[in-house]
Amino acid sequence: MTRAGSTERGKIQLGSDSELSPKRPRIAKGTLERRERGTDTDAGSYNWIMPSNEPKSAAAVKRWIERHTRTSDRFASVADKYERHRREHGCDDVYPSSNGPLLGALTAAVKPKRLLEVGCGLGYSGLWLAYGAGSGGRVETIEASQDHAKIARGHFNAEGLGKQIQVLVGEATRVLPALKGRYDLIYFDINPSESLLVLDHSERLIRRGGLLISANLFLGQFAPDIPGLEKTAEYRLRILDAARWLTGYMVDGTSLSVRV
């Protein structure tokens, strides 16, 4: 509704709604750019201009994250050894964590004193767990292969973290039942066929409020014939049981579960 822009009997009559405030500048898509318009009122106006290198798809975002987090990955040289090791030794079950710095950041946020890793491999994720936990944290990591355990210990010692990490050599089915006490954080990254056993013992071993990080829960998209996928499918549903876990999933198939 339009009202006359005049005063009558001491009352202020406003003009049209469009006159209540100055026109806002049109905002283009993109990055923030300051506009100087010569008045105190308008000096704080901004335009958005899309930067030319802005990631515009899920694939581009993934590439950006991989490229930039690599520069902050203090253990990237260890992760790089996995591919060569698989090629030379025919090991198709040894892969580094997809995002070591994120694993380290999550660990640092929890501030755990006692950590358990199920699936050591060549030691990349164990290094990030120990680094994130700080000098007060102790990591126990289970590895079935004697050869892999030896390589991992070498990496731990080379990075100055050997005293914080203990390698428990043996199949998870044998090692887990012997463990006692409570853990603040458990990281699971192992064959699907052993996933339900790991979950059973994780529920027994982790303290209330502790964090269970589960990796590679959707391996069927990469290896549809790998044994144990039906167990991983049950694992994914069981950690959604609100009576036991508060769980969130990440798009790469990693889950974060807090014991309740």
Side-chain angles (χ1 to χ4, degrees):
M1 181 176 69
T2 301
R3 289 156 291 197
S6 61
T7 61
E8 181 180 1
R9 295 181 184 177
K11 295 182 180 179
I12 297 176
Q13 302 231 344
L14 299 176
S16 67
D17 292 339
S18 63
E19 295 172 348
L20 295 178
S21 60
K23 290 184 178 180
R24 294 180 178 273
R26 294 188 64 182
I27 297 181
K29 296 179 180 179
T31 139
L32 200 58
E33 178 185 80
R34 184 65 173 268
R35 295 199 314 163
E36 299 296 344
R37 297 185 51 166
T39 68
D40 292 341
T41 301
D42 295 328
S45 298
Y46 293 90
N47 270 351
W48 289 93
I49 301 172
M50 178 74 77
S52 59
N53 61 348
E54 178 72 11
K56 301 179 184 68
S57 67
V61 170
K62 184 175 184 292
R63 289 193 297 270
W64 188 100
I65 292 172
E66 290 174 348
R67 182 171 68 252
H68 288 81
T69 56
R70 182 175 174 81
T71 62
S72 64
D73 189 343
R74 60 191 308 112
F75 306 119
S77 62
V78 175
D80 290 343
K81 295 178 181 179
Y82 279 68
E83 184 177 358
R84 184 174 71 248
H85 183 85
R86 289 195 306 273
R87 186 171 60 249
E88 294 176 352
H89 299 275
C91 305
D92 58 0
D93 60 346
V94 182
Y95 290 83
S97 167
S98 60
N99 195 332
L102 177 61
L103 183 59
L106 288 169
T107 304
V110 175
K111 297 180 174 61
K113 298 299 182 185
R114 192 182 185 202
L115 304 83
L116 176 65
E117 177 185 29
V118 187
C120 175
L122 306 185
Y124 174 71
S125 52
L127 287 168
W128 270 113
L129 290 170
Y131 181 79
S135 59
R138 293 294 178 269
V139 179
E140 298 165 45
T141 179
I142 300 173
E143 175 52 50
S145 167
Q146 289 275 4
D147 291 338
H148 293 167
K150 181 179 179 180
I151 294 171
R153 287 193 187 102
H155 291 152
F156 298 154
N157 290 329
E159 297 292 342
L161 294 168
K163 293 182 178 179
Q164 285 182 240
I165 309 173
Q166 178 185 7
V167 183
L168 307 176
V169 181
E171 298 287 345
T173 54
R174 180 181 65 80
V175 176
L176 282 170
L179 298 179
K180 301 184 185 304
R182 296 294 186 201
Y183 292 85
D184 303 302
L185 186 152
I186 297 177
Y187 177 61
F188 163 62
D189 185 7
I190 201 171
N191 291 333
S193 59
E194 296 182 290
S195 56
L196 292 181
L197 172 81
V198 173
L199 184 56
D200 287 340
H201 285 287
S202 294
E203 291 179 346
R204 175 178 67 86
L205 292 168
I206 201 165
R207 66 168 175 82
R208 292 192 182 277
L211 178 63
L212 170 65
I213 305 174
S214 309
N216 294 316
L217 293 183
F218 293 87
L219 280 177
Q221 63 183 313
F222 306 113
D225 298 326
I226 190 171
L229 288 179
E230 73 286 354
K231 295 183 178 180
T232 305
E234 183 177 343
Y235 184 108
R236 295 195 301 259
L237 293 176
R238 278 182 53 183
I239 57 176
L240 291 174
D241 180 359
R244 291 184 171 87
W245 301 100
L246 174 61
T247 293
Y249 278 93
M250 300 170 63
V251 294
D252 67 349
T254 300
S255 67
L256 308 177
S257 306
V258 177
R259 188 72 161 99
V260 298

